[in-house]
Amino acid sequence: MLGAGLIKIRGDQCWQDLTCMDFHYETQPVPNPVAYFLHRSPWWVHRFETLSNHFLELVVPFFIFLGRRMCVLHGALQILFQVVLIISGNLSFLNWLTIVPSVACFDDATLGFLFPSGPGGLKDQVLKMQEEKARGAQPASRYGSMVRQAVNLALGVLVAWLSVPVVLNLLSPKQVMNSSYNPLRIVNTYGAFGSITRERTEVILQGTASPNASAPDAVWEDYEFKCKPGDLRRRPCLVSPYHHRLDWLMWFAAFQTYEHHEWVIHLAGKLLANDAEALSLLALNPFAGRAPPRWVRGEHYKYKFSRPGGLHAAEGKWWIRKRLGPYFPPLSLQDLRDYFMSREWPYPKPD
């Protein structure tokens, strides 16, 4: 949490201006239906959200060191924070995993109400064990117990040693986000949304059966992904904690050109061959049950949420979009032969 908070303060100016939440819900990797409505919250709600984020990521983590009650408060606040994030976006299993260490903040006294307290119950058994320990009636240490303690100590020393560069990174004004410093990858840096995009752009893949891609009468049909925005009338998905990795990668690809993301051309080649494995990652293949497309292209669009209750929403549209231009030009399978061979990729064969 602390790393995520620091990367924000040191990153995008909007975190300091308290305006990042004006954009986040619309431009996050894979918005969900709740984000559609949260995006239209009043400006003061977005300011409160940003301030709360700073408090939860920069201040609350230190509650762990301030005694039992503050530690319990830390766990409760962090779990509440993660639940809010789960509700407001499809951030895969990340938030669910973050809840797990927060559970350790709740001791027996805090969670005792969850267990039966009658004679012979779990709480009664634990109380008897504690009384025996207080009287000094402890079993003699066994060899296995000593080995376990030695292993625990060695692991603690190893984690502490590997944490040194991570802590130094947190203290550095040039903090690196999401990196590893050793091949074991046991202890790593973390940070999320250090910068917030102000506009949402999408790469829309299209295919046509027309022999001439430049013909005015060529009919281009859209491929639909399982979760990322495409069809303007399709409701944003709700899949957390599941993770549609290809949809996330398409979000990153839209920030740059296809030269920075050559795998997009690889995907286009698979679509030109109606590759079953590649198509299984999509929600809609417009050429299902037909011959593969002769051409595939990528179009670059700017997407915005429609306004709830507005004209576009009345037409059933969750999104409105504006074409920015081509992302990559029309390509045929033959066009890609040398491209695939030069990269030693298997050349797709039409099904």
Side-chain angles (χ1 to χ4, degrees):
M1 283 294 100
L2 184 60
L6 290 173
I7 202 69
K8 292 180 175 67
I9 289 296
R10 294 166 174 162
D12 202 317
Q13 182 65 34
C14 71
W15 287 114
Q16 300 179 35
D17 297 340
L18 307 182
T19 58
C20 277
M21 298 307 295
D22 293 347
F23 314 100
H24 167 74
Y25 293 117
E26 184 176 73
T27 62
Q28 63 179 306
V30 185
N32 67 11
V34 178
Y36 173 81
F37 296 100
L38 289 177
H39 178 64
R40 298 297 180 181
S41 300
W43 68 268
W44 56 268
V45 172
H46 291 319
R47 302 299 178 273
F48 173 75
E49 291 169 338
T50 311
L51 276 174
S52 299
N53 183 93
H54 292 332
F55 175 71
L56 290 163
E57 293 185 343
L58 294 172
V59 179
V60 171
F62 294 99
F63 287 8
I64 294 178
F65 308 106
L66 301 180
R68 173 183 172 273
R69 291 185 178 179
M70 295 301 287
C71 184
V72 171
L73 178 60
H74 167 275
L77 289 175
Q78 290 296 356
I79 290 176
L80 177 62
F81 182 35
Q82 299 308 314
V83 170
V84 170
L85 293 176
I86 290 169
I87 293 173
S88 62
N90 291 301
L91 299 176
S92 71
F93 45 80
L94 172 64
N95 308 115
W96 298 84
L97 289 179
T98 307
I99 289 175
V100 175
S102 297
V103 175
C105 294
F106 303 102
D107 58 10
D108 294 347
T110 306
L111 300 178
F113 72 95
L114 297 174
F115 303 97
S117 57
L122 182 60
K123 291 173 68 174
D124 186 53
Q125 296 178 34
V126 171
L127 181 61
K128 290 180 179 179
M129 293 172 59
Q130 292 173 339
E131 291 175 348
E132 291 177 358
K133 183 176 181 180
R135 291 195 302 266
Q138 300 184 43
S141 297
R142 298 180 180 179
Y143 177 74
S145 175
M146 297 173 62
V147 171
R148 184 171 64 252
Q149 292 178 12
V151 171
N152 291 341
L153 178 61
L155 181 59
V157 172
L158 174 62
V159 171
W161 174 255
L162 295 177
S163 298
V164 171
V166 176
V167 174
L168 293 176
N169 178 68
L170 285 178
L171 300 176
S172 172
K174 297 182 179 180
Q175 179 187 359
V176 178
M177 184 173 69
N178 301 337
S179 182
S180 179
Y181 295 93
N182 62 83
L184 298 177
R185 297 183 180 274
I186 297 176
V187 180
N188 311 291
T189 66
Y190 172 73
F193 298 105
S195 60
I196 298 292
T197 53
R198 307 306 195 267
E199 293 183 341
R200 181 179 199 92
T201 57
E202 292 287 347
V203 177
I204 304 299
L205 300 182
Q206 301 175 330
T208 182
S210 173
N212 183 1
S214 301
D217 59 347
V219 178
W220 291 93
E221 301 176 77
D222 292 359
Y223 288 90
E224 286 293 331
F225 287 74
K226 292 187 176 181
C227 214
K228 91 174 192 69
D231 181 359
L232 304 181
R233 288 181 169 80
R234 189 176 67 169
R235 177 181 60 82
C237 68
L238 185 63
V239 294
S240 176
Y242 193 75
H243 181 44
H244 289 297
R245 181 161 177 77
L246 180 58
D247 295 54
W248 274 58
L249 290 175
M250 291 296 291
W251 178 70
F252 284 111
F255 295 155
Q256 298 171 305
T257 65
Y258 71 87
E259 288 91 349
H260 295 92
H261 301 271
E262 293 185 343
W263 60 267
V264 175
I265 304 301
H266 186 272
L267 175 60
K270 294 284 190 177
L271 298 182
L272 284 164
N274 262 0
D275 182 83
E277 289 187 353
L279 290 170
S280 69
L281 301 176
L282 305 183
L284 173 65
N285 171 22
F287 297 90
R290 301 157 50 190
R294 295 190 179 186
W295 303 88
V296 166
R297 71 181 183 184
E299 292 287 278
H300 209 188
Y301 284 88
K302 181 173 75 172
Y303 271 65
K304 290 180 66 66
F305 277 139
S306 63
R307 182 174 295 277
L311 178 62
H312 295 95
E315 297 174 353
K317 295 180 180 179
W318 292 79
W319 298 94
I320 56 177
R321 72 183 186 182
K322 178 182 179 182
R323 184 177 181 272
L324 300 176
Y327 186 77
F328 63 81
L331 299 171
S332 68
L333 199 54
Q334 184 62 35
D335 293 336
L336 293 176
R337 179 179 294 275
D338 292 340
Y339 192 87
F340 271 65
M341 296 304 179
S342 65
R343 288 156 179 77
E344 298 182 350
W345 294 343
Y347 185 66
K349 296 181 179 180
D351 290 342

